[in-house]
Amino acid sequence: PYIYYIYAPLRILKKFLIHSGTYNLFNKVFAELNVAELGFKLLMSALYLFVVMGGFLGAIFLFFKSGILGTKSMIAVMAVYFTLIYPFGFRRCEYRYFVQAYPFMLVCTVYLVTFGYEVIKKRFTRK
């Protein structure tokens, strides 16, 4: 039961989320890309990973900051739900399924960045 209900879905979740995010950006192999294409691909991969990691942290902050029954908490719930339902509920690992969660994760990431900016701004503007 442990392998079926916990370990296997966690492996699917890892495969579902942790990848470059740009596997179909160019029709060339990584070694054949020129400097501009390589830089763009690396930038988009970094952006994807930043949104995935920042989205989860932002969803946690947004959920507890806005209250459990707050209207903003629904964005956090949707981000986590769409991310977890396919690996855990349907046991599917296709990257196209993350398209539904990406906008919500992006909003949660923006919330996390603005929250961090406000905290840093408060700390350095005290007299």
Side-chain angles (χ1 to χ4, degrees), residues 70-83:
T71 55
K72 293 178 189 174
S73 66
M74 186 56 102
I75 294 172
V77 169
M78 296 298 280
V80 174
Y81 174 76
F82 282 133
T83 304

Side-chain angles (χ1 to χ4, degrees), residues 8-90:
L10 286 176
R11 285 184 57 200
I12 295 171
L13 179 68
K14 179 183 166 194
K15 192 180 208 183
F16 183 62
L17 292 178
I18 308 300
H19 56 85
S20 71
T22 59
Y23 61 92
N24 61 354
L25 188 59
F26 296 110
N27 289 332
K28 297 184 223 175
V29 183
F30 190 77
E32 295 176 0
L33 297 175
N34 63 26
V35 176
E37 292 171 339
L38 183 64
F40 184 72
K41 187 167 184 161
L42 291 175
L43 180 69
M44 290 299 110
S45 293
L47 178 69
Y48 169 77
L49 292 174
F50 180 70
V51 168
V52 168
M53 289 185 258
F56 273 117
L57 287 173
I60 292 168
F61 275 102
L62 185 62
F63 183 75
F64 288 114
K65 192 84 165 161
S66 66
I68 294 175
L69 297 176
T71 55
K72 293 178 189 174
S73 66
M74 186 56 102
I75 294 172
V77 169
M78 296 298 280
V80 174
Y81 174 76
F82 282 133
T83 304
L84 297 180
I85 190 66
Y86 294 107
F88 283 93
F90 300 129

Side-chain angles (χ1 to χ4, degrees), residues 50 54 56-66 72 106-124:
F50 180 70
F56 273 117
L57 287 173
I60 292 168
F61 275 102
L62 185 62
F63 183 75
F64 288 114
K65 192 84 165 161
S66 66
K72 293 178 189 174
L106 190 60
V107 169
C108 292
T109 302
V110 168
Y111 177 78
L112 180 70
V113 169
T114 57
F115 180 75
Y117 175 74
E118 292 296 324
V119 167
I120 291 171
K121 185 178 165 184
K122 268 186 195 177
R123 184 162 291 187
F124 286 112

